[in-house]
Amino acid sequence: MTHVVLDSCIRCKYTDCVDVCPVDCFREGPNFLAIDPDECIDCAVCIPECPVNAIVPEEDVPSDQQQFIALNAELSRTWPSITRSKDSLPDADQWKDVKNKLPELKR
């Protein structure tokens, strides 16, 4: 099993989660983070670090966000690794409570 980054990360990209990851499984895109399912060891230390609750175990992905399982796998193959936290996106606080942000995802 792996963990999955969901819709709520889009346009926020809080990176608190990357500092605690013992295997550096996070990948960084322009406005979203993805988890490499081949690297994730299912330790769950990232979950409480995310201020928008965007990380869940694969088995807990809501039915309306199942596409994020494949999306994390796809994006993690081409996006670079991120191993240190950095500032969130400038308008992250405006986007953190917005739902259904998939159309906003930049690849």
Side-chain angles (χ1 to χ4, degrees):
M1 248 338 112
T2 187
H3 284 72
V4 179
V5 181
L6 302 176
D7 183 75
S8 52
C9 181
I10 298 171
R11 298 226 34 188
C12 293
K13 201 169 81 170
Y14 294 103
T15 59
D16 309 61
C17 53
V18 302
D19 279 335
V20 298
C21 181
V23 294
D24 300 333
C25 69
F26 284 91
R27 304 295 181 260
E28 181 183 22
N31 68 350
F32 182 69
L33 296 176
I35 291 177
D36 183 335
D38 295 329
E39 297 290 327
C40 181
I41 59 170
D42 200 27
C43 69
V45 296
C46 57
I47 292 175
E49 300 302 316
C50 181
V52 292
N53 300 310
I55 306 169
V56 298
E58 184 177 339
E59 64 269 14
D60 293 340
V61 173
S63 60
D64 65 335
Q65 295 197 42
Q66 287 290 308
Q67 70 270 29
F68 281 89
I69 297 170
L71 186 63
N72 274 249
E74 172 196 336
L75 298 174
S76 68
R77 286 193 290 271
T78 57
W79 284 356
S81 179
I82 177 172
T83 59
R84 297 186 153 238
S85 63
K86 54 174 71 171
D87 291 339
S88 59
L89 295 176
D91 57 353
D93 288 340
Q94 295 169 347
W95 284 92
K96 68 180 183 175
D97 296 321
V98 175
K99 305 289 184 210
N100 303 312
K101 298 186 283 185
L102 189 55
E104 299 290 328
L105 177 67
K106 292 182 183 175
R107 294 172 178 258

